[in-house]
Amino acid sequence: MSEKRSLKNVYSIKTPEDSINLYRSWASSYDADFARQNDYQSPLEIAKYFDKYSNNEDTPILDVGAGTGLIGECLNLNSRKIDAIDISPEMLNIAKLKNCYSKIIEADLTKRLLIGDNHYGAVVSAGTFTHGHVGPDALDELLRITRPGGLFVLTIHYKLFKKAGFDTKILELEGSITKPSFHEVRVYGNNPDKDHGNDKVIITVFRKK
Ligand SMILES: C[S@@+](CC[C@H](N)C(=O)[O-])C[C@H]1O[C@@H](n2cnc3c(N)ncnc32)[C@H](O)[C@@H]1O
């Protein structure tokens, strides 16, 4: 992996504009350069937990910060539909090639989304609630566009869970969501990176009330 795209660089971005710039240059090699080289497990873990908690009515699904579409590739969709949303058009172009997404939506998750209330039956996400990417306030908008009963299965980087206020946000949402379950899993399988090779995410699962 080149220095420009090292894990350190990914974790040091700060704004939506930084994301657009980083992923513009990275999109074409992301799957090989990041996912395979780092033995990236989060999309597989999301698919595993989605399988465990979902039913066939949890549709359509929104993949939040879908990137190149690794979750779409891993999910066992049955007859369910999945849409991809991301700020990076270049990442979404790669996701489109995977032929699993019904709709590709370019949007900034830190802003109001041009999606109607109660539209989605489920929200999944890997690698998006992480350093410098998307913070806990985006959950308000995601809840708005999800219908009552809709399932959420999200990774939240373990180091940010408290630091970025996901814990407080989840408590604040107590009246709007079912009691969440938390599952700590490793982000990477066999990865010797000394700073991030042992990173974890907290897979957070709940339904909108
Ligand atoms: C580490 S990648 C994860 C991609 C994919 N979910 C995966 O697991 O491979 C993070 C993604 O979040 C997107 N992203 C970052 N900030 C965003 C924002 N404000 N709005 C929408 N997408 C954003 C990036 O463009 C990038 O595709």
Side-chain angles (χ1 to χ4, degrees):
M1 190 186 298
S2 64
E3 176 51 28
K4 189 162 175 257
R5 294 163 186 154
S6 69
L7 289 177
K8 199 167 147 213
N9 282 73
V10 179
Y11 287 137
S12 66
I13 65 172
K14 291 191 171 63
T15 66
E17 289 67 35
D18 290 345
S19 281
I20 292 172
N21 291 330
L22 172 74
Y23 290 104
R24 178 186 297 125
S25 62
W26 201 10
S28 62
S29 60
Y30 177 93
D31 286 3
D33 212 12
F34 172 72
R36 275 196 282 286
Q37 221 176 92
N38 289 298
D39 199 11
Y40 179 51
Q41 298 294 313
S42 295
L44 279 164
E45 292 286 355
I46 286 293
K48 193 170 97 189
Y49 281 93
F50 186 79
D51 248 11
K52 179 170 171 180
Y53 285 96
S54 69
N55 59 56
N56 282 339
E57 278 157 36
D58 295 326
T59 185
I61 305 163
L62 183 64
D63 182 356
V64 165
T68 60
L70 293 176
I71 289 187
E73 283 187 294
C74 295
L75 271 189
N76 176 13
L77 285 170
N78 294 323
S79 56
R80 293 172 294 210
K81 283 192 168 169
I82 185 164
D83 294 345
I85 189 166
D86 200 283
I87 203 169
S88 165
E90 291 82 7
M91 294 291 270
L92 288 171
N93 281 340
I94 307 288
K96 212 182 282 179
L97 299 175
K98 311 257 167 97
N99 282 327
C100 39
Y101 292 98
S102 301
K103 207 187 286 174
I104 300 284
I105 305 165
E106 188 186 322
D108 181 349
L109 290 155
T110 65
K111 308 240 163 77
R112 187 172 169 88
L113 303 171
L114 294 174
I115 300 170
D117 295 354
N118 305 327
H119 181 75
Y120 284 99
V123 171
V124 293
S125 184
T128 302
F129 297 104
T130 187
H131 298 277
H133 284 55
V134 178
D137 287 343
L139 291 176
D140 292 324
E141 198 48 6
L142 294 174
L143 279 165
R144 179 186 68 76
I145 63 170
T146 302
R147 67 164 181 263
L151 177 68
F152 282 69
V153 185
L154 320 167
T155 70
I156 300 173
H157 197 278
Y158 75 131
K159 286 207 171 137
L160 294 182
F161 197 81
K162 281 204 172 113
K163 199 171 158 197
F166 284 95
D167 58 341
T168 313
K169 185 76 195 173
I170 286 168
L171 280 176
E172 256 174 53
L173 293 174
E174 202 176 26
S176 317
I177 64 175
T178 59
K179 189 169 187 281
S181 63
F182 302 111
H183 312 268
E184 194 172 277
V185 302
R186 287 171 57 101
V187 179
Y188 308 107
N190 182 16
N191 184 335
D193 185 282
K194 66 177 176 13
D195 297 315
H196 295 288
N198 291 319
D199 275 8
K200 298 185 194 87
V201 282
I202 298 176
I203 296 194
T204 303
V205 183
F206 56 84
R207 285 185 183 271
K208 179 176 170 179
K209 277 187 183 163

